Amino acid sequence: MASSSPLKFIEKALLATGPFALSYTDPDQKWVIRKHLTSFLQDFPNFDLSTDTFNHNNGTTVQLFRLDGSLRTPQSTAIKLTIWVHENYPLTPPLVFVIPPDSTVPVRTNHPFVNSSGFTTSNYIETWEYPPCSLLNFVRNLRRVLANDHPFVQTDSVPTKTWSVSRPEALHRLVTSLHYDVVAIMASSEEEIESLWRLQTEVKQRSESVRTIISYLETERETLKENVLKLRDDTDVLDIWMERNYPKLMKVTSSDVGVEEMIEMEEEKKLLVESLAADKAIEDVLCTLEEACKRGELEIGSYLKHVRVLAREQFFSRHHHLYM
């Protein structure tokens, strides 16, 4: 439903019934709306008045007055607005949306008073109280707010200082400055957090590398311990053999040894070699049995039986060559 004569259109719309009935029900409310719309259109005659269906975010639909026009600011180009007079107006402030000039010009990111959908708010809206707040005063305030910080054109984050400003305008300028300060601090904090996350990831990777190195060194240390113990055992065996055979070796080198003694020494060497060979063979058999048991090819009972027998043989073999 479009408007012709504004006052007649307002009265006719407020009295309409049936499918064209608006969502304003209280007679006093209708009188206030008539008065405020008339005052607004006198100051802003370039706005077109109509009625239309508005969809709230909760899914409810209402029939409201709608104002479409351009708001001219002293320092910038005209800004297209769509204003909806809320069904609970004047107790609830009007709903204002900024309309981009075309699809290629979105609302500026992080604008303090206009979100990405074009919905507009300000300190005047947030502190709305009727009376004294009204549609006309709100739009006048909005014109000053958008002049200081255009929703489509990049302006200074801190508005230019002037000596004579009203208290609401000064408050809006302060809110604008604080908003951009907060945005800058948040951006800096996000970068710092990202840097700390990357650093934490790097520290975790290095920690894993250090754990791997420590584990490898622990394994090497255990291997070296085993080798040291084995060398110690071999040294003990060699010491015992030297204690028993050194006198005989001295006799051989002194050429005072008879044929019988030399034959006896050769026999002892042969027995020693055979004893050591048998010990190594038993060791190899034990390792083979252990591998077969691990693979499940040999039952544990049979494995233990063979181990007992071989261990006994190995014991006597070592005892024999230790005391030769």
Side-chain angles (χ1 to χ4, degrees):
M1 183 185 294
S3 61
S4 53
S5 172
L7 182 58
K8 290 181 179 180
F9 176 79
I10 295 169
E11 292 178 346
K12 184 178 179 180
L14 290 173
L15 295 173
T17 57
F20 297 105
L22 299 180
S23 299
Y24 314 111
T25 56
D26 185 81
D28 293 335
Q29 177 195 23
K30 292 181 180 181
W31 184 86
V32 172
I33 291 174
R34 175 183 178 278
K35 178 181 177 182
H36 286 190
L37 283 175
T38 303
S39 299
F40 174 82
L41 292 172
Q42 287 175 353
D43 273 40
F44 296 95
N46 61 313
F47 274 78
D48 295 325
L49 178 64
S50 62
T51 60
D52 204 348
T53 302
F54 181 81
N55 297 307
H56 284 290
N57 291 334
N58 60 7
T60 59
T61 60
V62 288
Q63 290 293 122
L64 304 177
F65 278 116
R66 171 175 172 170
L67 292 159
D68 296 283
S70 297
L71 189 66
R72 293 193 173 276
T73 58
Q75 295 87 3
S76 62
T77 59
I79 301 171
K80 293 182 180 180
L81 298 180
T82 295
I83 304 172
W84 298 86
V85 181
H86 197 280
E87 66 268 24
N88 294 324
Y89 185 88
L91 299 179
T92 302
L95 305 169
V96 181
F97 293 86
V98 170
I99 310 301
D102 56 69
S103 58
T104 62
V105 184
V107 176
R108 276 179 37 229
T109 305
N110 295 323
H111 193 280
F113 305 113
V114 184
N115 64 21
S116 57
S117 68
F119 181 72
T120 305
T121 184
S122 66
N123 186 66
Y124 191 94
I125 286 289
E126 292 176 355
T127 57
W128 179 276
E129 184 179 0
Y130 176 77
C133 293
S134 67
L135 174 63
L136 177 60
N137 290 334
F138 164 62
V139 176
R140 287 173 176 171
N141 174 266
L142 183 63
R143 178 167 57 183
R144 291 191 294 268
V145 169
L146 297 181
N148 291 327
D149 199 355
H150 198 282
F152 304 114
V153 180
Q154 184 68 42
T155 56
D156 295 334
S157 59
V158 179
T160 305
K161 293 182 179 179
T162 57
W163 292 107
S164 58
V165 294
S166 64
R167 181 176 178 181
E169 186 175 355
L171 183 59
H172 279 98
R173 293 190 178 193
L174 176 61
V175 170
T176 301
S177 299
L178 291 175
H179 171 81
Y180 284 112
D181 288 343
V182 169
V183 169
I185 292 172
M186 288 181 64
S188 175
S189 299
E190 288 177 358
E191 290 179 1
E192 185 176 355
I193 290 171
E194 287 294 329
S195 176
L196 291 175
W197 273 114
R198 289 193 294 269
L199 180 61
Q200 185 182 31
T201 302
E202 185 178 350
V203 169
K204 285 183 178 179
Q205 292 174 349
R206 292 186 179 183
S207 177
E208 291 296 327
S209 300
V210 170
R211 288 195 189 97
T212 303
I213 294 172
I214 291 174
S215 176
Y216 173 76
L217 291 176
E218 289 287 343
T219 304
E220 285 293 310
R221 185 175 68 174
E222 293 299 323
T223 302
L224 289 174
K225 283 184 178 179
E226 292 176 1
N227 291 336
V228 168
L229 292 175
K230 186 176 180 181
L231 287 174
R232 188 176 297 170
D233 291 341
D234 292 343
T235 302
D236 292 340
V237 171
L238 184 60
D239 287 342
I240 293 172
W241 187 88
M242 288 293 295
E243 288 176 3
R244 293 180 61 83
N245 293 281
Y246 183 74
K248 297 177 182 180
L249 181 62
M250 294 303 295
K251 287 182 180 182
V252 171
T253 56
S254 63
S255 302
D256 295 335
V257 181
V259 176
E260 294 80 5
E261 291 179 349
M262 292 181 65
I263 293 173
E264 181 182 351
M265 290 175 63
E266 289 296 330
E267 289 295 329
E268 288 180 357
K269 291 179 181 177
K270 182 177 179 181
L271 290 174
L272 177 61
V273 171
E274 290 177 353
S275 177
L276 289 172
D279 182 76
K280 295 295 183 182
I282 292 172
E283 193 71 31
D284 291 341
V285 173
L286 287 172
C287 290
T288 303
L289 290 173
E290 183 179 359
E291 292 295 328
C293 184
K294 288 180 179 179
R295 293 193 301 268
E297 298 173 358
L298 183 65
E299 295 182 355
I300 188 67
S302 178
Y303 168 73
L304 293 175
K305 180 179 178 181
H306 285 86
V307 168
R308 283 197 295 269
V309 173
L310 292 171
R312 181 180 179 83
E313 291 181 8
Q314 190 179 44
F315 172 77
F316 285 115
S317 174
R318 289 184 177 180
H319 178 76
H320 177 71
H321 76 252
L322 281 174
Y323 295 98
M324 286 181 61

